[in-house]
Amino acid sequence: MPITYTLNTDLERLAKTRLDSLGLKSKANGDYVLQLFNWQKRYIPSRPRKFSSSSHLVVPTELSQGYKNLKEAIQKGENINGYLSSNLNDANYADGFLNHFGLYHFHLGVGLETSGKSNGYIKRTRDIALAKVTDEEVIIILIEDHNHHSNPDIWFDPKYIQILHDEFPESIKKFKINEMIVANPITTADEFRKLRKVNVNVSVTTADGTSYMTPGGGVSLSGDSIEAVIQMQNIKRRIHGLEKTIFSSLIDFIPNQLGKCTVDLINLDNNF
């Protein structure tokens, strides 16, 4: 009895359907499962979190209300994704700041944008809050100008990891390199910029010699989030295993006279 599987094709189709239902832009290359996991890495689930800030933080007066609103939204467990970059709408967007340093940035405007690329997001601000987000806590590290002309190092400066190391070491503890010294560590924003451009994962070494291996999880040679790639590979391995299980079951119990059998994947649960 011939058995036809469409599970991998169905998986990509269902991932594309999920992306469309979320109103997200996606690249028409067939890697919809990877794009969905890439988006999920960047999306912040809503839950109450502790709000913390570094001793280096200075909040400009003109941003104080927006900062207060963000703080309250974090503590109440409200949806704070509207404070993020509107690139969140693009499932294929590679966020180097997140993938390499493990950090987010929040805009600090008051009210919502009503047109353009950022329609529906919190009003955009030139100065943004740079933050570490965990399941339990949001740590505001600094507020910085993110204009690439006046502050070209903002996405590449290792000082943010230095501050976390000094004041919130638990937030990056799992990336700490133990029992090994990194020779010739990368220390400047320019070096990080050049290596990130060619998708090289490098450790961040602090002033006391402590090193952290790519606190954002790193990227593959293609520039995709390694975490997203691993998730995609895991689910496709499960699909392959499912195909083998189905085949061994059907081949023994369904008579050949029934002819061709097609196995389809029809739905994804909400935890996908």
Side-chain angles (χ1 to χ4, degrees), residues 51-54 57-58 67 70 74 83-84 95 97-98 101-108 125-133 138-146 151 153-161 163-164 168:
F51 183 91
S52 302
S53 60
S54 82
L57 181 70
V58 176
Y67 180 81
L70 173 62
I74 289 168
Y83 288 86
L84 298 177
D95 188 338
F97 195 54
L98 178 61
F101 282 172
L103 303 178
Y104 290 83
H105 73 273
F106 297 107
H107 288 264
L108 297 172
T125 52
R126 179 163 170 164
D127 288 356
I128 54 174
L130 307 177
K132 176 69 178 177
V133 179
V138 175
I139 303 165
I140 305 298
I141 303 169
L142 290 172
I143 292 177
E144 299 255 277
D145 175 6
H146 81 306
N151 191 13
D153 291 342
I154 182 171
W155 308 124
F156 311 98
D157 199 325
K159 68 184 179 183
Y160 315 122
I161 306 303
I163 292 172
L164 291 176
F168 305 94

Side-chain angles (χ1 to χ4, degrees), residues 13 18 24 51 61 138 174 193 222 254 262-263:
R13 174 181 55 79
R18 177 69 60 81
L24 302 174
F51 183 91
T61 302
V138 175
K174 70 177 181 178
R193 179 189 295 104
S222 63
I254 299 180
T262 301
V263 180

Side-chain angles (χ1 to χ4, degrees), residues 1 3 27 42 57 62 73 96 112 119 127 139 158 195 236 262 269:
M1 177 188 65
I3 303 176
K27 184 179 179 181
R42 294 152 50 211
L57 181 70
E62 65 273 18
L112 302 178
N119 184 34
D127 288 356
I139 303 165
L195 292 169
K236 291 198 171 183
T262 301
D269 67 32

Side-chain angles (χ1 to χ4, degrees), residues 99-233:
N99 290 337
H100 286 269
F101 282 172
L103 303 178
Y104 290 83
H105 73 273
F106 297 107
H107 288 264
L108 297 172
V110 176
L112 302 178
E113 296 285 354
T114 57
S115 62
K117 176 185 175 184
S118 301
N119 184 34
Y121 282 78
I122 291 294
K123 284 189 175 294
R124 310 288 85 180
T125 52
R126 179 163 170 164
D127 288 356
I128 54 174
L130 307 177
K132 176 69 178 177
V133 179
T134 71
D135 288 343
E136 297 81 25
E137 186 177 18
V138 175
I139 303 165
I140 305 298
I141 303 169
L142 290 172
I143 292 177
E144 299 255 277
D145 175 6
H146 81 306
N147 182 283
H148 69 279
H149 293 296
S150 56
N151 191 13
D153 291 342
I154 182 171
W155 308 124
F156 311 98
D157 199 325
K159 68 184 179 183
Y160 315 122
I161 306 303
Q162 178 71 55
I163 292 172
L164 291 176
H165 169 74
D166 292 339
E167 301 186 17
F168 305 94
E170 287 295 314
S171 70
I172 52 175
K173 181 176 67 174
K174 70 177 181 178
F175 300 102
K176 185 178 178 180
I177 301 174
N178 295 304
E179 300 179 359
M180 185 174 71
I181 297 175
V182 176
N184 302 315
I186 303 302
T187 58
T188 69
D190 190 53
E191 290 173 303
F192 279 102
R193 179 189 295 104
K194 290 175 180 176
L195 292 169
R196 192 181 298 179
K197 187 176 181 180
V198 293
N199 299 323
V200 174
N201 297 312
V202 293
S203 59
V204 182
T205 300
T206 60
D208 65 4
T210 303
S211 294
Y212 296 90
M213 189 62 222
T214 320
V219 297
S220 65
L221 289 175
S222 63
D224 296 303
S225 160
I226 287 178
E227 292 178 10
V229 170
I230 290 174
Q231 287 177 298
M232 177 192 69
Q233 291 172 337

Side-chain angles (χ1 to χ4, degrees), residues 5-120:
Y5 299 99
T6 63
L7 301 187
N8 275 305
T9 301
D10 293 338
L11 181 63
E12 290 292 347
R13 174 181 55 79
L14 292 170
K16 177 64 163 64
T17 300
R18 177 69 60 81
L19 293 171
D20 290 344
S21 70
L22 293 168
L24 302 174
K25 175 184 175 183
S26 60
K27 184 179 179 181
N29 60 1
D31 286 334
Y32 297 115
V33 175
L34 178 59
Q35 292 182 70
L36 182 55
F37 283 128
N38 178 58
W39 175 80
Q40 287 179 345
K41 175 179 171 64
R42 294 152 50 211
Y43 183 86
I44 302 174
S46 298
R47 61 170 61 93
R49 290 176 170 89
K50 177 183 177 182
F51 183 91
S52 302
S53 60
S54 82
S55 62
H56 300 268
L57 181 70
V58 176
V59 181
T61 302
E62 65 273 18
L63 298 178
S64 60
Q65 186 59 53
Y67 180 81
K68 178 182 177 182
N69 293 346
L70 173 62
K71 178 178 180 179
E72 291 179 353
I74 289 168
Q75 293 174 326
K76 292 178 180 178
E78 296 174 355
N79 188 337
I80 57 175
N81 289 283
Y83 288 86
L84 298 177
S85 165
S86 57
N87 285 321
L88 185 63
N89 289 338
D90 184 353
N92 194 56
Y93 179 76
D95 188 338
F97 195 54
L98 178 61
N99 290 337
H100 286 269
F101 282 172
L103 303 178
Y104 290 83
H105 73 273
F106 297 107
H107 288 264
L108 297 172
V110 176
L112 302 178
E113 296 285 354
T114 57
S115 62
K117 176 185 175 184
S118 301
N119 184 34

